[in-house]
Amino acid sequence: MFSIIHRVFLEFFKNCDQKQKTEMIELLSEQLIHMVHTRDGASVAMQCIWNSSAKERKKIIKSMKSFVVKIALEEHGHMILLAIFDSVDDTKLISKGILDELLRSIDQVIENDYGRKVISYLIAPRDSRFFIKDYVNRLEQGDSSETSKKDPEKRRVELFDHSKSHILAYIKKHIDSILFNGSFGILIPLFLEKLGSEGDDLTKSLADSILQQAYEPVNGSDKKHCVEESASHFIIKKLLATSLGKENKSLLSMSAAILQNDRAENITSWIDCNRGCFLLVNLIETSNEKNKAEIKKLLKSSEKDLKQKINFQGAKLLLEKLK
């Protein structure tokens, strides 16, 4: 029943003029929270946000008070929050009316597939690496809004700046498991890039987590080491890939953080794993000349063992790098 009504509203917005849209928005602005459960209802809410005045946008956001987390966890409703982040110029209103409530429950939000998209937008807005085409296409429908006048990049920076301390605290709290969380952990390299020098402590913490234990093979369903588990291996590879770029900006790189760590010698255990060998290749390739020499020094005593691992493609490549 509701889905039919929501479809009628959506068709109305697609076919009416601006004056009619304005009149409908005035009627619906404080009722939109009851329309988040269907795709068409969420689309109507997005249309209201894009076509409303600054005054109506304020009413819409205020009507969401105490419902923000619930909306973020909705299959369709979370798109409304993305539309607000993507088009509303008053970032102070968003921060106070939406982000503060959302970020107080950041654990619950990130653990949910839809809530995670909301937090992801704050780090990587409209980034096709993290959002499928449908998300971007729907948000682009609001690009013609006459109410949105602020430079989109300025809006994004302001939202990120308000959110970053909460996201950073979340990652540090879950430092030992975040690398195994492929759906959110993959955002860490970009998050660190945006943090700049504020991310150096997190880089050290990530290096400490990676080196916490030497690699040991496991059997069956036992938890694999981070250099071997597929999601964490991929994330570490991406973190290493940013190293030279960060050093060019005088920032702490992941390769440097690993080598400066008290447990740096644990990288020698990685040769017992094919993926570990590949990460050592990545580590060498993304290090400056001084750090390359340090890596080769650490691995010198392992060359004999590497030559025994003819079944490891990674070991073959690593031996070439150590020449």
Side-chain angles (χ1 to χ4, degrees):
M1 180 65 177
F2 286 118
S3 59
I4 296 173
I5 295 171
H6 296 169
R7 172 55 63 90
V8 171
F9 278 132
L10 183 57
E11 289 301 317
F12 174 83
F13 270 99
K14 288 179 178 179
N15 295 286
C16 67
D17 59 31
Q18 186 57 46
K19 182 182 177 183
Q20 291 171 319
K21 287 180 182 178
T22 300
E23 292 172 348
M24 183 58 75
I25 289 168
E26 289 176 357
L27 291 172
L28 293 178
S29 60
E30 295 180 329
Q31 308 301 320
L32 295 177
I33 58 171
H34 303 297
M35 301 178 68
V36 302
H37 313 295
T38 68
R39 182 181 173 91
D40 288 338
S43 294
V44 169
M46 292 165 76
Q47 288 288 337
C48 288
I49 292 160
W50 293 327
N51 291 284
S52 60
S53 64
K55 182 180 178 181
E56 288 298 330
R57 286 179 169 183
K58 189 172 184 178
K59 281 174 63 178
I60 291 170
I61 290 172
K62 283 191 170 184
S63 73
M64 294 181 177
K65 185 177 181 181
S66 77
F67 293 100
V68 171
V69 173
K70 189 175 187 302
I71 294 170
L73 307 186
E74 287 275 355
E75 177 184 1
H76 304 296
H78 76 285
M79 285 299 304
I80 300 169
L81 297 181
L82 298 191
I84 290 172
F85 296 162
D86 201 66
S87 62
V88 175
D89 289 344
D90 190 346
T91 52
K92 288 185 178 179
L93 174 65
I94 297 174
S95 298
K96 185 177 179 181
I98 293 178
L99 289 181
D100 286 350
E101 185 176 333
L102 186 76
L103 296 168
R104 280 197 296 270
S105 301
I106 191 169
D107 283 59
Q108 180 186 1
V109 174
I110 288 181
E111 287 168 8
N112 176 273
D113 289 344
Y114 306 116
R116 190 161 51 247
K117 286 294 184 184
V118 177
I119 302 298
S120 296
Y121 180 94
L122 297 169
I123 302 171
R126 291 200 190 187
D127 193 322
S128 59
R129 292 172 296 177
F130 310 107
F131 290 95
I132 61 173
K133 194 173 182 180
D134 179 59
Y135 274 83
V136 179
N137 288 346
R138 292 182 74 186
L139 292 173
E140 285 177 345
Q141 293 176 37
D143 287 350
S144 59
S145 170
E146 295 181 2
T147 312
S148 303
K149 303 182 185 300
K150 185 181 285 187
D151 178 2
E153 188 56 35
K154 189 174 190 301
R155 187 190 306 122
R156 292 163 184 167
V157 169
E158 289 170 353
L159 294 177
F160 176 79
D161 284 346
H162 187 81
S163 308
K164 62 185 179 182
S165 63
H166 297 271
I167 299 172
L168 180 59
Y170 171 85
I171 294 174
K172 285 187 173 181
K173 178 181 176 183
H174 299 278
I175 197 72
D176 290 331
S177 61
I178 197 75
L179 291 173
F180 295 89
N181 183 345
S183 55
F184 188 74
I186 191 58
L187 287 157
I188 294 177
L190 179 58
F191 182 60
L192 282 170
E193 179 185 332
K194 291 194 168 188
L195 283 178
S197 59
E198 293 179 74
D200 285 354
D201 283 345
L202 177 57
T203 300
K204 292 177 184 177
S205 296
L206 288 165
D208 202 50
S209 180
I210 292 167
L211 296 167
Q212 191 171 18
Q213 295 178 330
Y215 169 79
E216 290 184 8
V218 295
N219 297 315
S221 59
D222 291 343
K223 184 178 179 180
K224 295 179 180 179
H225 192 280
C226 63
V227 302
E228 185 175 29
E229 200 274 334
S230 58
S232 51
H233 170 89
F234 183 74
I235 293 168
I236 295 169
K237 181 180 177 181
K238 290 296 183 182
L239 286 166
L240 288 171
T242 66
S243 290
L244 291 176
K246 292 188 78 173
E247 288 182 9
N248 289 337
K249 297 177 182 177
S250 299
L251 300 173
L252 179 65
S253 68
M254 181 53 66
S255 57
I258 286 173
L259 292 172
Q260 292 170 14
N261 192 279
D262 291 340
R263 291 190 287 265
E265 63 183 22
N266 278 350
I267 67 170
T268 60
S269 69
W270 297 1
I271 68 166
D272 291 327
C273 164
N274 189 41
R275 282 179 170 165
C277 289
F278 275 113
L279 281 181
L280 288 169
V281 170
N282 296 142
L283 183 62
I284 293 171
E285 291 177 341
T286 59
S287 294
N288 58 39
E289 293 305 316
K290 179 183 176 182
N291 288 340
K292 281 181 183 177
E294 181 64 25
I295 296 165
K296 290 178 180 181
K297 182 180 177 182
L298 282 169
L299 295 177
K300 185 69 178 175
S301 61
S302 303
E303 285 191 51
K304 184 176 179 181
D305 289 337
L306 271 173
K307 290 174 182 176
Q308 311 269 328
K309 303 183 187 302
I310 56 174
N311 294 328
F312 287 1
Q313 183 62 34
K316 295 177 184 177
L317 291 173
L318 182 56
L319 281 169
E320 287 295 317
K321 292 292 180 182
L322 292 176
K323 286 182 180 178

